[in-house]
Amino acid sequence: MAFVLSLLMALVLVSYGPGGSLGCYLSQKDVLVGRENLRLLGQMSRLSPQSCLQDRKDFGLPQEMVEGDQLQEDQAISVVHETLQQSFNVFHTEPSSAAWNNTLLKQLCTGLQQQLEDLEACLAPVTGKGDSALGGMGPILTVKKYFQGILVYLQEKENSDCAWEIIRVEMMRALTSSISLLERLGKMDGDLTSS
């Protein structure tokens, strides 16, 4: 019995990667998929952002998404995951499909889903730690509030073409921040290698 227990413990320890998360491995592929998502968002533009200046709004991109240096590794992974999940939710709606080229939109949603699935292994061991450790308005709640503001804005603007253009540009900012966080995480762990 002691041998079996020792063997199980050894397997658990071996399964922890350099990042310390069970089954978590950030690769260059994760960053490349993120960049492809940005390219798709760039192609989705149907209006000139200048023609929608009257609809501009500062959504208050959370510092947690921009300056991941202040976050612990597990919090940063949770912030990236939540950003991707909320971005997917914004673009995986009926009003969104009416606003965009469906082929590009489908490719974007597929890319976001792929990133989410890749991060699941990193997220599972840390679920629930992010917000409770900081108390009150933790990084995940801040990201959720940010995206709630985006959804309210779309409703207020009745999903107009200009509103979606403003959101497209804002999502490019949010996803660019996610890529930067992923790159930082990969460098911290030394995991970001080609695969």
Side-chain angles (χ1 to χ4, degrees), residues 91-121:
F91 285 110
H92 198 256
T93 62
E94 191 173 321
S96 178
S97 63
W100 305 112
N101 171 300
N102 282 325
T103 301
L104 293 174
L105 182 62
K106 190 174 197 175
Q107 289 174 347
L108 174 65
C109 287
T110 299
L112 291 169
Q113 186 66 41
Q114 180 181 351
Q115 283 186 288
L116 284 166
E117 289 170 5
D118 289 347
L119 281 177
E120 288 295 325

Side-chain angles (χ1 to χ4, degrees), residues 22 26 29 38 40 55 57 62 70 88 104 118 128 173 181 183 192:
L22 185 60
L26 299 173
K29 181 188 88 165
L38 284 177
L40 289 167
D55 290 312
K57 179 178 177 163
Q70 300 172 3
F88 179 83
L104 293 174
D118 289 347
R173 291 179 64 215
L181 273 175
E183 288 174 332
L192 211 55

Side-chain angles (χ1 to χ4, degrees), residues 44 85-102 105-106 108-110 112 147 150-152 154-155 158-160 164 167 171:
M44 287 169 64
Q85 183 63 61
Q86 295 292 333
S87 298
F88 179 83
N89 294 346
V90 167
F91 285 110
H92 198 256
T93 62
E94 191 173 321
S96 178
S97 63
W100 305 112
N101 171 300
N102 282 325
L105 182 62
K106 190 174 197 175
L108 174 65
C109 287
T110 299
L112 291 169
F147 278 96
I150 288 171
L151 295 174
V152 167
L154 284 168
Q155 287 178 333
E158 298 177 350
N159 291 292
S160 71
W164 276 108
I167 296 306
M171 290 297 90

